[in-house]
Amino acid sequence: MKIDMPTQVKEIIAVLQQNGYRAYAVGGCIRDTIMGIPPSDWDICTSSLPQETLDALGAQNIVENGMKHGTVTVRRNGQNYEITTFRTDGVYLDNRHPQNVQFVRTLEQDLARRDFTVNAMAYNDTDGLCDCFGGTEDIQRKLIRCVGNPDQRFQEDGLRILRALRFSSQLGFEIESSTADSIRKNAHLLQNISAERILSELIKILTGKNVEYILLHYSGVLEVFLPEIRPMVGLEQNNPHHIYDVWTHTVKTVAAIPPERTLRLAALFHDFGKPDRHTVDSNGIGHFKGHPEVSAVMAEKILIRLKSDNQTKSDVAAIIRMHDARPPAEPKYVRRQMAKLGERRYPMLLELKKADSLAQNPRTIPQKLEYISRLNKIYQNEMKQGGAVTIKSLAVNGNDMINLGIKDGRMIGECLNTLCQLVIDGEVDNEKGALMIKIKELYGSTKTRNSNGI
Ligand code: ATP
Ligand code: MG
């Protein structure tokens, strides 16, 4: 088999070989190329020790080195290449970090420490493809399978449990049965994994094409770090809008929303508050009043726990909070929601509403989608006319209020706020003359009252 490597990779390998070492492209880049996917990066492994790698390649353009673990990173043409000495991992003390790494002499030993067969292949033009664990065959069969004994491999490094789910989701592969059994058996090891690593793998699982399969079949694994899922599984909704239990509905919502991190996280958490808000009326119909607020608060807490960045956290919570509101599809109400949520987030809210609808009773879908498309048309139109109305976008400002004789700072704020609401509700145009007349009217009538009267 011939693999077409980028020129830079060929050059790095050639220089190492000219210096008497063995060197290969390895791991994800080989897997992706065999599958016909352009690799995100090219990693290289070599028999040279880190200092020898440096000496062979010349010390210039070395951007960073994890030399203790055998990795030298070189920069060529704006791209980083990691070159790692053949190694095995030493003893694992905490199910995550090898206490030390040992450099080894052969490529085969290096491939044996890698997690899955599809990730344990190497290639160079001299030796061709080195596939000692059946990676090519597993690509053909679409299987994620551990290299070696699954229990041992997961006990060495619990993160591999999530990596297995992640590769299955991204590549659309099934997990081979003994690897799958071992994942379920060892799921508790995820307790030892840092929140940052968990979130990063969770996002990759969520944005993968096979996410529905993974979330449905491995919810018990996710429960180790998201125990909030447990009461959702099997919770029947008994409601004419729904045909699935809360967890299945959630999974279908995730799969229906575009594969972008914020949207997929919002879809995952959007109904987390349902178990807490579950009631059954005298007709046996299930209700979940107030669940969007509870879900939004839960999403915020979970994302703090998983050490998410603040922007993702607040975007996710904001759109979840409003996902179930159903105002009339009229400009005034869309403008109110846009002002509350911000014009950047409004399309995210519509995506969540759409995916949520697609995961409900099929009989109700066309009507719900029609409603969302009307909201979207109004939103598009508002954007053409300058976007969300905010105090900043008003045609008057604080100085105009001062010129009218309104001196008190709090009063100025209230006046601008009132004008903003009036513009949003279509009671006055966002035009300076009209706004000044309006404020004179309001200010005139409130002059004798206290400042709360406006
Ligand atoms: P991606 O396309 O997401 O980068 P990748 O396969 O390159 O996928 P990386 O996390 O970049 O994944 O890791 C590079 C290679 O290192 C893997 O293909 C695998 O061979 C090995 N590897 C990475 N993490 C582990 C791990 N925790 N345990 C064992 N081997 C690992
Ligand atoms: Mg990689």
Side-chain angles (χ1 to χ4, degrees), residues 52-78:
E52 294 170 336
T53 308
L54 280 179
D55 292 344
L57 292 169
Q60 75 277 32
N61 293 329
I62 305 295
V63 283
E64 159 212 339
N65 51 48
M67 295 201 19
K68 205 172 94 197
H69 292 100
T71 301
V72 169
T73 306
V74 298
R75 195 163 179 80
R76 295 277 188 278
N77 261 6

Side-chain angles (χ1 to χ4, degrees), residues 271-448:
D271 276 352
F272 266 42
K274 275 191 170 174
D276 186 53
R277 304 300 300 165
H278 185 213
T279 55
V280 180
D281 70 20
S282 54
N283 299 318
I285 310 241
H287 299 281
F288 302 91
K289 290 212 174 73
H291 79 273
E293 177 60 32
V294 179
S295 302
V297 171
M298 288 171 82
E300 247 170 351
K301 279 195 188 143
I302 291 168
L303 287 172
I304 290 171
R305 197 167 82 207
L306 295 180
K307 308 250 163 53
S308 155
D309 63 282
N310 282 331
Q311 163 130 0
T312 306
K313 184 194 71 187
S314 56
D315 286 353
V316 165
I319 63 176
I320 291 178
R321 192 164 271 124
M322 285 170 76
H323 82 269
D324 214 25
R326 286 177 293 269
E330 292 167 22
K332 167 169 147 177
Y333 298 102
V334 172
R335 282 197 295 262
R336 279 187 193 173
Q337 285 198 318
M338 284 171 69
K340 209 161 162 190
L341 197 58
E343 64 193 30
R344 181 181 61 84
R345 287 169 173 165
Y346 194 75
M348 299 173 162
L349 172 67
L350 294 187
E351 290 292 359
L352 180 57
K353 289 179 80 67
K354 197 159 127 192
D356 188 12
S357 306
L358 288 169
Q360 297 181 7
N361 186 341
R363 275 189 291 135
T364 68
I365 294 176
Q367 169 205 344
K368 286 173 181 162
L369 293 187
E370 213 262 320
Y371 165 68
I372 295 162
S373 115
R374 278 194 283 149
L375 294 180
N376 188 37
K377 279 201 192 105
I378 298 170
Y379 164 77
Q380 299 295 346
N381 200 33
E382 290 299 321
M383 290 307 287
K384 271 190 219 135
Q385 292 175 31
V389 182
T390 59
I391 290 192
K392 267 195 187 156
S393 72
L394 279 183
V396 292
N397 59 28
N399 284 334
D400 298 315
M401 300 300 108
I402 292 170
N403 292 339
L404 282 179
I406 305 169
K407 297 279 183 307
D408 175 50
R410 214 183 64 171
M411 184 72 167
I412 292 174
E414 278 180 27
C415 289
L416 292 173
N417 219 6
T418 305
L419 289 177
C420 200
Q421 295 309 318
L422 292 171
V423 173
I424 288 170
D425 287 355
E427 310 257 333
V428 56
D429 288 342
N430 191 6
E431 186 269 310
K432 188 164 178 177
L435 292 173
M436 293 299 265
I437 292 170
K438 197 75 194 172
I439 205 65
K440 272 186 228 157
E441 254 173 59
L442 292 167
Y443 183 60
S445 65
T446 55
K447 230 175 185 172
T448 50

Side-chain angles (χ1 to χ4, degrees), residues 112-337:
R113 70 151 170 110
R114 294 175 183 270
D115 45 10
F116 308 112
T117 58
V118 296
N119 288 345
M121 293 183 281
Y123 175 88
N124 68 22
D125 287 332
T126 331
D127 298 345
L129 184 70
C130 307
D131 174 15
C132 24
F133 299 101
T136 323
E137 212 174 299
D138 283 340
I139 287 180
Q140 275 155 10
R141 292 189 188 157
K142 294 180 169 264
L143 280 181
I144 299 297
R145 180 200 309 270
C146 281
V147 171
N149 176 297
D151 284 349
Q152 187 190 333
R153 301 316 307 282
F154 292 133
Q155 278 154 23
E156 284 170 359
D157 178 1
L159 183 68
R160 290 176 188 150
I161 292 171
L162 277 193
R163 284 176 59 88
L165 304 191
R166 180 260 268 214
F167 287 116
S168 169
S169 181
Q170 288 181 324
L171 305 173
F173 285 15
E174 269 188 47
I175 300 174
E176 176 274 331
S177 73
S178 70
T179 298
D181 290 347
S182 181
I183 284 175
R184 295 200 169 90
K185 183 168 134 197
N186 291 296
H188 64 276
L189 296 172
L190 288 171
Q191 285 161 354
N192 304 324
I193 304 299
S194 76
E196 292 88 344
R197 303 299 293 260
I198 296 238
L199 182 61
S200 135
E201 293 298 329
L202 174 65
I203 288 168
K204 289 177 185 167
I205 292 170
L206 290 175
T207 50
K209 61 182 174 198
N210 208 20
V211 61
E212 182 166 343
Y213 172 84
I214 291 297
L215 296 187
L216 284 178
H217 290 84
Y218 293 90
S219 60
V221 175
L222 305 185
E223 280 171 21
V224 174
F225 55 90
L226 292 175
E228 295 86 351
I229 291 174
R230 186 159 310 163
M232 300 167 71
V233 179
L235 178 58
E236 290 301 338
Q237 311 207 56
N238 296 323
N239 183 296
H241 289 279
H242 286 280
I243 55 168
Y244 302 116
D245 70 86
V246 176
W247 179 242
T248 309
H249 161 73
T250 299
V251 172
K252 302 230 172 239
T253 307
V254 171
I257 209 162
E260 186 279 320
R261 49 180 279 145
T262 304
L263 293 178
R264 290 251 155 139
L265 285 167
L268 177 66
F269 299 134
H270 83 285
D271 276 352
F272 266 42
K274 275 191 170 174
D276 186 53
R277 304 300 300 165
H278 185 213
T279 55
V280 180
D281 70 20
S282 54
N283 299 318
I285 310 241
H287 299 281
F288 302 91
K289 290 212 174 73
H291 79 273
E293 177 60 32
V294 179
S295 302
V297 171
M298 288 171 82
E300 247 170 351
K301 279 195 188 143
I302 291 168
L303 287 172
I304 290 171
R305 197 167 82 207
L306 295 180
K307 308 250 163 53
S308 155
D309 63 282
N310 282 331
Q311 163 130 0
T312 306
K313 184 194 71 187
S314 56
D315 286 353
V316 165
I319 63 176
I320 291 178
R321 192 164 271 124
M322 285 170 76
H323 82 269
D324 214 25
R326 286 177 293 269
E330 292 167 22
K332 167 169 147 177
Y333 298 102
V334 172
R335 282 197 295 262
R336 279 187 193 173
Q337 285 198 318

